[in-house]
Amino acid sequence: NIDFVIHCLNVSLKSASSQQLAHWLVQARERAQATPEQAQLQQTPAPSADASPQDVRWSGTLVMRLP
């Protein structure tokens, strides 16, 4: 879910993988020159009991400042 507020972008995450989140943040900074202004993230349970530490999931909200 993405909502626009003047010069800000509010992003809601639901069980996003660490790798997906990191990739998205790099893309947002490089392509849109957006910078994180606020983050309220919580770790959520991995999809399976035998998941590796790389399978950490995140839920919450990000506020990105746009140029």
Side-chain angles (χ1 to χ4, degrees), residues 2-28:
I2 299 175
D3 298 317
F4 283 100
V5 179
I6 298 174
H7 299 290
C8 287
L9 174 69
N10 297 320
V11 181
S12 297
L13 303 172
K14 193 171 200 177
S15 195
S17 74
S18 295
Q19 291 177 341
Q20 290 171 325
L21 178 56
H23 179 74
W24 184 86
L25 285 168
V26 167
Q27 296 289 332

Side-chain angles (χ1 to χ4, degrees), residues 32-52:
Q33 298 179 349
T35 55
E37 184 171 282
Q38 183 180 39
Q40 294 180 330
L41 300 173
Q42 294 181 331
Q43 280 187 335
T44 56
S48 66
D50 61 338
S52 74

